[in-house]
Amino acid sequence: MERCVAISLGIALVFLAAVTDALYSSSSDVVQLNPNNFNDKVIKSDAVWLVEFYAPWCGHCKNLAPEWDKAASALKGIVKIGAVDADNHKSLGGQYGVRGFPTIKIFGANKQKPTDYQGGRTADAIVTEAIRVAKDVASSRLGGKKSGGSGGSGSRGSGGGEKPSDKDVITLTDSNFDEEVLGSTDPWLVEFYAPWCGHCKNLAPEWAKAATELKGKFKLGALDATVETVKASAYGVRGYPTIKYFPAGKKEFDSPEDYNGGRSASDIVNWANAKVADAMPPPEVLEITDEKVLKDACEAHQLCVISFLPHILDSGAVGRNQYLQHLKDNTERHKQWGWVWAEAGAQPELENSLGIGGFGYPAMAVLNGRKMTYTKLKGPFSKEGIHEYLRAASMGRGLSTEVVPGKKLGEIKKTDPWDGKDGVMPEEEDIDLSDFDMDEEEGKDEL
């Protein structure tokens, strides 16, 4: 019996932790949103939505949570209130330009162009603004204007217009689809459209712009679903435009995902870039053995992580590999950064440029190579400590920023790469005592 109680308590604690981490309980009137349900619940909805993009660790988000809860209850049946864990669902946050927490977006008449909420953080202020937006939408409809709320593959149609003629949009048919899309290892976005569809005509120039911007990284195609009915039927197209995402690599029939982004060129590009970033392998953590290694890391990337690990005689191979593993464990979340390291004392001028020399090892700095500014790690050099530090650095919060002296890094010395082995103590030089006349020395002592 005691064991059952312990297990139940453990489950309860796990559940409580999950609820706490999400900020909003399952009984809350705040709708939990994620990439899988966002399009259906928000974009395709005729309702006005206020959506909070938050991070569970964010203090301001925690302060807002009870007010957001109150507002959701007060607006129930009038305006929808949602929340996205944008720390967990970065692609969804990135799609809407979220760079800080909390960020609140208003999805009103035109769901493809949400606006930023600029009001107060109290339930009263939130409700007031929500009612204002709802009133504006109602007035717009009363005046004969249609709401732009529906989207995606809804039967009311939205999407791909006349056959895009831009050279960067690939025209797809039933006969070339398998070869062009399924036979390709490139990532694809495919628009299924109808020539008579008004939303499709509106999308066409944006689709063409996005195709040009994404050239070389992502392929964009368009298929007239009223003519090429075999593929349209195979992929369940029932409204226009319907946009499907086919990931990079080998493709299977059931592999496409529904595109759930906005309909502007910038929305499409941002969504695609997020997918490319997610598919990228994590970067290597390279040892600084010459100037080129540092240059490639810090000039080719806006931000680079520079670490200084203890001398091999201080840490040994096991200790050094543990430090390197802490770095590798964090590269997945920051794939577009440069990652380099050096042994303590091997690059003294670089250490001095980043204010690290003589302050103990291991040490770390994040350098903005374009602005020549940096921040230093002041917490533990552990997987979790580095994660928290880099997350703050990526958002530019809670860190003091310093300028590299003269906006120029010090000279980089050419060194041999670490061989992966323990260090060897330098041999002490043997002293030949026969060179000394001990009797003579003893006589001097007597004097």
Side-chain angles (χ1 to χ4, degrees):
M1 183 64 183
E2 291 178 358
R3 185 169 176 269
C4 293
V5 171
I7 292 174
S8 299
L9 179 59
I11 293 173
L13 289 173
V14 170
F15 175 76
L16 181 59
V19 171
T20 301
D21 187 58
L23 289 191
Y24 301 101
S25 70
S26 57
S27 62
S28 171
D29 290 316
V30 176
V31 181
Q32 293 288 336
L33 300 168
N34 57 59
N36 295 326
N37 66 10
F38 196 90
N39 195 49
D40 287 336
K41 286 188 175 293
V42 180
I43 303 301
K44 293 181 181 179
S45 169
D46 286 326
V48 172
W49 277 82
L50 267 67
V51 178
E52 174 203 4
F53 294 83
Y54 71 90
W57 47 263
C58 164
H60 292 296
C61 302
K62 293 176 182 177
N63 293 336
L64 174 63
E67 299 300 312
W68 200 244
D69 251 327
K70 290 178 188 176
S73 297
L75 291 165
K76 191 172 182 178
I78 304 170
V79 171
K80 296 282 189 178
I81 300 294
V84 175
D85 181 347
D87 187 49
N88 188 32
H89 303 297
K90 290 183 172 60
S91 61
L92 190 54
Q95 184 179 318
Y96 291 104
V98 175
R99 291 180 173 80
F101 304 118
T103 290
I104 300 174
K105 296 282 185 178
I106 302 172
F107 293 80
N110 187 347
K111 293 294 197 300
Q112 309 306 327
K113 293 183 179 180
T115 58
D116 290 325
Y117 172 78
Q118 304 288 359
R121 298 295 174 85
T122 64
D124 184 65
I126 296 164
V127 168
T128 299
E129 179 63 10
I131 295 298
R132 184 195 67 77
V133 175
K135 183 179 179 181
D136 287 347
V137 171
S139 297
S140 177
R141 291 174 183 171
L142 191 62
K145 297 179 182 179
K146 292 183 179 179
S147 168
S150 60
S153 55
S155 62
R156 279 173 287 186
S158 40
E162 299 172 322
K163 200 172 203 174
S165 59
D166 189 281
K167 61 181 181 179
D168 295 321
V169 175
I170 300 170
T171 300
L172 297 171
T173 65
D174 287 337
S175 59
N176 74 0
F177 193 94
D178 287 356
E179 180 181 356
E180 289 282 356
V181 181
L182 301 185
S184 166
T185 57
D186 297 312
W188 277 79
L189 278 174
V190 177
E191 173 204 4
F192 296 83
Y193 69 92
W196 45 260
C197 165
H199 290 293
C200 303
K201 294 176 182 179
N202 293 334
L203 176 63
E206 301 299 316
W207 197 248
K209 288 178 189 175
T212 300
E213 287 190 49
L214 291 167
K215 192 173 182 179
K217 292 193 294 184
F218 228 96
K219 289 189 175 180
L220 268 66
L223 182 144
D224 183 345
T226 64
V227 175
E228 313 298 335
T229 57
V230 174
K231 288 301 176 185
S233 176
Y235 290 109
V237 175
R238 291 180 176 81
Y240 310 109
T242 291
I243 301 173
K244 298 282 185 178
Y245 163 59
F246 294 79
K250 185 178 179 181
K251 298 173 179 62
E252 303 293 342
F253 176 80
D254 59 353
S255 65
E257 303 174 19
D258 288 329
Y259 169 80
N260 56 7
R263 297 299 172 84
S264 70
S266 61
D267 288 334
I268 297 164
V269 170
N270 289 337
W271 190 94
N273 282 333
K275 287 293 184 182
V276 171
D278 288 343
M280 286 173 56
E284 290 186 70
V285 182
L286 302 174
E287 183 179 4
I288 303 172
T289 54
D290 56 36
E291 187 174 353
K292 184 178 184 303
V293 174
L294 183 65
K295 184 176 181 180
D296 289 348
C298 296
E299 288 190 8
H301 307 87
Q302 182 173 359
L303 298 176
C304 59
V305 181
I306 305 175
S307 300
F308 299 92
L309 305 183
H311 194 281
I312 193 62
L313 292 176
D314 293 328
S315 67
V318 172
R320 175 166 292 181
N321 281 323
Q322 286 178 340
Y323 290 131
L324 289 173
Q325 190 59 50
H326 292 332
L327 297 175
K328 292 173 185 176
D329 287 340
N330 280 281
T331 57
E332 180 70 32
R333 291 176 177 265
H334 304 283
K335 293 179 179 179
Q336 297 182 351
W337 295 14
W339 289 78
V340 292
W341 69 277
E343 183 175 77
Q347 303 295 344
E349 292 196 24
L350 178 61
E351 290 188 32
N352 289 334
S353 298
L354 300 175
I356 284 173
F359 281 91
Y361 306 96
M364 174 185 288
V366 171
L367 174 72
N368 184 322
R370 296 175 190 172
K371 298 180 179 179
M372 291 307 286
T373 57
Y374 68 93
T375 64
K376 291 184 290 187
L377 170 68
K378 294 183 179 167
F381 197 100
S382 62
K383 176 183 175 180
E384 295 75 17
I386 293 171
H387 167 65
E388 293 299 325
Y389 163 66
L390 296 182
R391 181 167 61 179
S394 66
M395 298 175 63
R397 290 187 174 184
L399 297 171
S400 58
T401 301
E402 302 177 50
V403 180
V404 175
K407 292 198 171 184
K408 186 176 181 181
L409 297 175
E411 179 185 357
I412 301 302
K413 293 183 178 181
K414 193 166 186 177
T415 61
D416 293 328
W418 178 45
D419 59 9
K421 300 177 182 178
D422 283 320
V424 178
M425 289 289 291
E427 294 184 7
E428 295 184 5
E429 184 179 352
D430 291 334
I431 301 175
D432 187 355
L433 297 178
S434 64
D435 292 339
F436 294 87
D437 187 338
M438 300 303 293
D439 291 338
E440 183 179 338
E441 293 297 317
E442 289 175 0
K444 287 182 181 180
D445 289 341
E446 291 175 0
L447 291 175

